[in-house]
Amino acid sequence: MKRLLLFACALVAMTVQAQTARKFTVNITPDGASNMVAYLPDMPTGRAVVDCPGGGYSHLALQHEGHDWAEYFNKQGIAYFVLTYRMPKGDRNIPLGDAQAAIRMVRDSADFWHVNPYDVGIMGFSAGGHLASSVSTHSEFDCRPNFSILFYPVISMNPREGHRGSSEGFLGKDGMENEQLVKQWSNQNAVRRHLTPPAVIFTASDDQVVPVVNNCLRYYESMRRAGNDCAMYVYPTGGHGFGFRDSWPYHQQMLNDLTTWLDTHKAPRRDAIRVACIGNSITDGSGIDMADLKGYPAQLQKILGKGYHVKNYGVGARTMLNNGDHPYMIEQAWRDAQAFQPNIVVIKLGTNDSKDFIWSKHSKEFARDMQTMINTLRKLPSNPQIYLCTPIKAFRDQWGITDSVIVNGVIPAIQQVAKKNKLPIIDLHAVLTDEASMTRDMIHPNEKGAGQMAKAIADAIKFK
């Protein structure tokens, strides 16, 4: 109901405030204190960018960090929205709420504005870069962007490392002295594996206002450590705040770099079949460097091609059992997998459930908890086809995981649930039979093994 009301307000605002057929203003808040100026391209590709200008959380640099970018994006068929967000004055939820509402509005209006809701990015400059990275790292699925463009962003809320004015504006004077809040909203600490969207960062080495090492580099490092897709361009000079100013010597090089990054990050088609890969560290890609490019879900995407949209919702050490030491169904990834509205779900859990101290106590609950997951997925409007995978072979007893329990306990329980629900099983235990397909721990597949898993799953999905 709230979304419908928001969309209705947007349509009214567009009618009243339209300046040209392709440029108009829509209100985010009813009083217009927060609003977006929309620039729609003549030949839309479906991609959209919501822009958050900087200004230290005290004002907004709306021109060179906002409206001046419209022609650049529109020429590429990208819908562009300049957000006027309200100043926090110590209440961080004010600008956060405005930016999240802007993302939701663009997605809710996707049909009307010719936007692909799975290709909505956010761009931010300086404090606006902090806002953009906050929305990218702290938001739920419905208002989390699909990619982030960050210009000389404030990342750290520590006033001695980032920008004191931004920290005070966002957290307030008292909040700025609260170590827990500072850590929480220093967004290098909030990067989440697979869930934080791909990002590109632009900055100048001589930025004295928002030091590169304590901000841009830390965000890049956190993304890289998580195996997430991130690029960073550091130009020799330019200071802070170059924005779209063509007087900056590296202006054209920066535009070329951004264009190349955008061109190499194409979104799946809007009508692509959505595939959610649910699982533990084996799905996550533990032990595989840059798992978002080389793990089994990434390789599955390459095999299936543009007609599919594959997402990795694996979380390390997680169990199907809700009484396990790390239950999957309490994770953000589980909420995201549902919000993704998948057409196909691949479930590969059970390896960690085989740990002796878990299985000996809770084995009888395994089928029940798997049934709970299946029932939840079947209630989704997308009515997904569900595939159950057997755990891969454990070539070595490790961390309490034993292949004998997998073979004699976990797999029979999965087979029981599959039979009851008339669901297909993908027998991954029979797929990985060679130690050369495993990492050194002999529990996780390496890139080769992940490819074997991807092929088996792709064959099941494509030819069912």
Side-chain angles (χ1 to χ4, degrees):
M1 182 63 70
K2 289 182 178 179
R3 286 192 177 189
L4 291 175
L5 180 60
L6 185 63
F7 182 61
C9 291
L11 293 179
V12 171
M14 287 187 335
T15 303
V16 174
Q17 301 180 43
Q19 299 173 36
T20 71
R22 312 304 297 172
K23 178 186 175 184
F24 50 85
T25 301
V26 293
N27 289 341
I28 301 296
T29 56
D31 61 0
S34 176
N35 63 74
M36 286 193 303
V37 176
Y39 295 87
L40 300 186
D42 292 326
M43 299 180 66
T45 62
R47 174 163 280 178
V49 170
V50 173
D51 174 61
C52 304
Y57 283 126
S58 65
H59 64 282
L60 295 177
L62 285 167
Q63 201 60 45
H64 73 290
E65 293 179 353
H67 298 291
D68 288 350
W69 286 85
E71 184 178 4
Y72 164 81
F73 284 112
N74 281 178
K75 280 185 175 180
Q76 298 177 70
I78 300 172
Y80 179 62
F81 303 86
V82 180
L83 174 64
T84 295
Y85 56 91
R86 294 167 295 165
M87 296 300 103
K89 299 179 181 179
D91 184 352
R92 58 191 177 277
N93 292 313
I94 293 174
L96 273 172
D98 291 346
Q100 290 168 337
I103 296 289
R104 288 193 188 100
M105 180 179 285
V106 172
R107 287 190 173 135
D108 289 346
S109 308
D111 290 339
F112 193 78
W113 292 339
H114 304 289
V115 167
N116 178 350
Y118 298 101
D119 200 10
V120 178
I122 196 166
M123 181 166 77
F125 299 78
S126 193
H130 180 264
L131 180 58
S133 64
S134 295
V135 175
S136 299
T137 53
H138 290 271
S139 298
E140 290 294 321
F141 182 89
D142 68 330
C143 57
R144 192 185 315 143
N146 299 106
F147 59 92
S148 308
I149 305 170
L150 308 175
F151 281 85
Y152 36 87
V154 176
I155 296 296
S156 176
M157 281 286 97
N158 185 331
R160 293 176 295 279
E161 297 178 346
H163 179 252
R164 185 177 185 85
S166 297
S167 299
E168 184 173 333
F170 189 75
L171 297 177
K173 289 184 178 179
D174 292 337
M176 191 170 59
E177 302 301 323
N178 184 318
E179 290 185 10
Q180 183 177 351
L181 272 182
V182 168
K183 181 179 180 179
Q184 179 183 358
W185 293 99
S186 294
N187 290 328
Q188 76 273 14
N189 300 317
V191 167
R192 293 171 291 181
R193 186 169 168 88
H194 307 306
L195 303 183
T196 300
V200 60
I201 304 168
F202 297 93
T203 190
S205 186
D206 62 348
D207 189 336
Q208 300 297 309
V209 178
V210 180
V212 174
V213 172
N214 294 332
N215 293 272
C216 300
L217 187 58
R218 286 190 179 175
Y219 195 80
Y220 172 82
E221 182 181 28
S222 292
M223 289 286 283
R224 181 62 180 82
R225 286 183 182 277
N228 295 346
D229 186 341
C230 189
M232 184 168 70
Y233 298 86
V234 183
Y235 302 98
T237 60
H240 188 78
F242 49 80
F244 199 80
R245 292 190 175 111
D246 58 12
S247 58
W248 178 47
Y250 298 96
H251 174 74
Q252 191 57 53
Q253 181 180 340
M254 176 270 293
L255 293 183
N256 292 341
D257 290 337
L258 177 55
T259 300
T260 299
W261 189 87
L262 290 168
D263 287 345
T264 55
H265 285 75
K266 299 294 187 184
R269 297 197 320 244
R270 182 175 180 178
D271 63 350
I273 297 169
R274 297 183 297 280
V275 182
C277 299
I278 288 173
N280 49 39
S281 57
I282 293 171
T283 297
D284 167 71
S286 178
I288 299 175
D289 188 34
M290 298 299 290
D292 266 358
L293 299 176
K294 301 175 182 178
Y296 108 67
Q299 295 196 53
L300 179 63
Q301 176 72 75
K302 292 177 183 177
I303 295 170
L304 294 175
K306 296 180 180 178
Y308 291 80
H309 183 182
V310 182
K311 294 284 286 182
N312 187 337
Y313 292 113
V315 184
R318 267 50 189 177
T319 63
M320 173 62 74
L321 283 161
N322 288 325
N323 281 319
D325 52 349
H326 299 292
Y328 182 85
M329 284 186 278
I330 66 171
E331 293 296 325
Q332 173 76 49
W334 172 231
R335 299 199 301 274
D336 272 25
Q338 296 171 70
F340 184 48
Q341 290 295 320
N343 306 113
I344 295 173
V345 178
V346 180
I347 301 173
K348 200 218 71 58
L349 286 163
T351 302
N352 294 299
D353 301 85
S354 76
K355 293 175 181 176
D356 49 8
F357 63 90
I358 297 175
W359 192 255
S360 61
K361 295 180 180 179
H362 303 292
S363 59
K364 293 181 180 180
E365 302 164 20
F366 185 89
R368 180 200 66 188
D369 291 345
M370 179 169 274
Q371 188 65 55
T372 298
M373 177 176 282
I374 291 168
N375 292 344
T376 301
L377 292 169
R378 281 179 164 170
K379 291 177 182 177
L380 295 177
S382 58
N383 189 28
Q385 171 66 60
I386 301 168
Y387 293 81
L388 303 182
C389 297
T390 62
I392 68 172
K393 182 178 180 179
F395 286 83
R396 178 190 303 161
D397 290 354
Q398 187 84 278
W399 308 305
I401 296 169
T402 57
D403 198 58
S404 61
V405 174
I406 289 174
V407 170
N408 299 311
V410 176
I411 291 178
I414 293 173
Q415 291 170 335
Q416 172 192 339
V417 174
K419 182 178 180 180
K420 176 183 176 181
N421 291 275
K422 298 180 181 179
L423 296 177
I425 289 182
I426 304 174
D427 188 3
L428 295 180
H429 194 273
V431 170
L432 273 70
T433 59
D434 182 2
E435 292 186 6
S437 299
M438 305 297 290
T439 60
R440 291 182 179 180
D441 62 27
M442 292 296 156
I443 297 293
H444 298 91
N446 56 25
E447 184 178 346
K448 176 185 175 182
Q452 293 170 331
M453 290 175 59
K455 184 180 184 305
I457 294 169
D459 288 345
I461 289 173
K462 289 197 297 184
F463 300 113
K464 178 66 178 176

